[in-house]
Amino acid sequence: MTVKHLFTPPRLLRNPHIQSALNSVGPRKKRAMRLAKALDSEQHILTTDKGVRLAAEYDRATGRKAQVKNALVVMIHGWEGSSQSAYQVTTAKYLLDYGFDVLRLNLRDHGDTQHLNKAIFNSTMTEEVADAISCFLAGHSYPAVFLAGFSLGGNFTLRVAADRGLQLNLKAAVAISPPVDPVNALVALNEGAFIYRKYFMHRWTTSLRKKLAHFPEYEFGPELDGAKTFDELNAFFVPRYTGFRDVESYFRSYGLIGDRLNKLAIPAHLITAKDDPIIPIEDIAKIHCPANLKIEVHPHGGHCGFIINLKGHSYMEPRLVEIFDGHLGIDG
């Protein structure tokens, strides 16, 4: 689609690596830490009918805007992020200020929740995410529910919207910088800047060590100690703990390419940047775009960044409000 207002950061912030880093560190992280302490978040453990337990943080908006909207935004973080990630907290606060209640949902084994479920997280687990949202909504009545996800959370968002959007009564969904073809995204990660491999490798192995501490019967400590690359870890974990026989089959299973989103029956938005250093922009063309999916491609923004100033404010915060208000019929 044609974007009415393209994101254009100041020249000193146009580097995609700066954009990507400022999404989670620096001024935005400091602001998020301060905001998180001020929020009066309710801690929830959502238990699905199948016994899966996912943690979430729930915040209610106050004031006239909240009364007029009576709407909930469910937010899903990226891989090895959490409900406490800087971009989750600052975006939640922005949405709250504009009258939206917010549920920040943690994926399995994220946000120090490795103890809640024995099975290890993998990226195909959309059913339990949808079930957890359904569990929450069973106890909370909202005429309007939105779903928003970042990076892998954006990938989850679009799959949940396509598979269960009508059942969950979602009004709309927004995915920011989602991996579209995970096979190609892994190639880009392996061949790209070393800092991203180091960051995600550290986060992933730390999470797996926490899992092992809670469930020592897994006994994968030696393999974890010996693996130095994503390929080595994937080659060990995928056939043993995901149900897929090989790495490529697993990565293809949660892609958004081809007809994967054809059953999308609610409005959905995919927002990404041409200069994303982690998600190849050419993968967007692999989506057989259904009528309900609108795609925004901005020239700048990095991976989930879209940072507009040195204070770490993001274009995505007002953009989400604009999109959700639009689906509520509220003019900005």
Side-chain angles (χ1 to χ4, degrees):
M1 67 172 291
T2 301
V3 185
K4 188 174 181 180
H5 300 291
L6 286 173
F7 167 67
T8 306
R11 190 168 297 276
L12 76 165
L13 294 179
R14 290 187 184 178
N15 182 285
H17 303 299
I18 292 176
Q19 281 285 327
S20 303
L22 289 179
N23 180 51
S24 300
V25 301
R28 194 176 200 184
K29 184 174 183 178
K30 291 182 179 178
R31 183 159 49 93
M33 292 173 65
R34 184 178 70 253
L35 292 174
K37 292 179 180 178
L39 290 174
D40 188 22
S41 305
E42 292 181 11
Q43 307 298 316
H44 286 254
I45 300 296
L46 304 172
T47 304
T48 73
D49 290 341
K50 295 181 180 179
V52 174
R53 296 187 296 165
L54 299 184
E57 297 186 72
Y58 176 48
D59 293 284
R60 293 183 177 91
T62 59
R64 189 183 64 82
K65 289 182 179 179
Q67 294 174 357
V68 170
K69 292 180 179 179
N70 192 18
L72 173 74
V73 179
V74 180
M75 294 175 57
I76 307 177
H77 58 79
W79 184 43
E80 295 306 333
S82 76
S83 59
Q84 286 289 306
S85 292
Y87 58 90
Q88 290 286 90
V89 174
T90 63
T91 304
K93 181 60 167 61
Y94 197 96
L95 291 167
L96 288 164
D97 288 346
Y98 279 83
F100 293 94
D101 291 359
V102 179
L103 181 75
R104 286 170 283 144
L105 182 66
N106 284 290
L107 297 172
R108 178 190 291 243
D109 292 347
H110 290 70
D112 290 327
T113 64
Q114 287 83 355
H115 62 290
L116 292 181
N117 305 280
K118 182 174 182 179
I120 299 171
F121 169 81
N122 72 68
S123 298
T124 69
M125 294 176 165
T126 52
E127 183 176 356
E128 67 184 40
V129 169
D131 287 347
I133 295 171
S134 179
C135 176
F136 179 83
L137 294 176
H140 299 78
S141 178
Y142 284 99
V145 179
F146 298 98
L147 189 58
F150 294 78
S151 193
L152 182 60
N155 175 287
F156 267 75
T157 290
L158 291 177
R159 286 184 289 145
V160 169
D163 298 343
R164 303 270 294 274
L166 288 179
Q167 181 186 2
L168 294 172
N169 198 30
L170 297 181
K171 201 163 189 69
V174 180
I176 299 166
S177 305
V180 174
D181 181 352
V183 174
N184 201 32
L186 181 61
V187 172
L189 186 60
N190 281 331
E191 296 179 352
F194 170 74
I195 189 65
Y196 299 112
R197 292 194 299 278
K198 182 178 180 180
Y199 173 81
F200 283 111
M201 191 72 171
H202 171 72
R203 301 281 298 202
W204 188 18
T205 54
T206 298
S207 176
L208 288 170
R209 291 186 197 284
K210 290 180 181 179
K211 193 72 174 183
L212 187 60
H214 290 292
F215 301 98
E217 59 268 32
Y218 275 127
E219 299 183 336
F220 53 62
E223 288 78 13
L224 198 55
D225 291 337
K228 303 300 181 186
T229 67
F230 287 114
D231 290 340
E232 290 172 341
L233 273 183
N234 282 320
F236 175 77
F237 279 95
V238 166
R240 290 167 178 81
Y241 302 111
T242 68
F244 291 88
R245 64 182 181 182
D246 57 60
V247 174
E248 183 170 342
S249 298
Y250 165 64
F251 276 86
R252 291 201 182 284
S253 71
Y254 66 94
L256 305 176
I257 63 178
D259 296 333
R260 178 62 181 87
L261 301 178
N262 271 14
K263 294 182 180 180
L264 194 62
I266 66 162
H269 303 254
L270 189 162
I271 306 175
T272 194
K274 286 184 179 180
D275 65 355
D276 191 320
I278 296 176
I279 308 300
I281 190 60
E282 62 267 22
D283 290 349
I284 293 294
K286 301 176 184 178
I287 300 174
H288 295 174
C289 191
N292 279 316
L293 179 64
K294 295 182 179 179
I295 298 177
E296 295 182 19
V297 179
H298 296 265
H300 304 287
H303 184 65
C304 293
F306 301 93
I307 302 300
I308 62 177
N309 56 38
L310 291 176
K311 294 182 179 180
H313 294 104
S314 174
Y315 164 87
M316 281 303 133
E317 295 167 352
R319 181 67 182 122
L320 285 175
V321 169
E322 181 182 40
I323 290 172
F324 296 151
D325 277 352
H327 287 292
L328 290 173
I330 299 173
D331 293 329

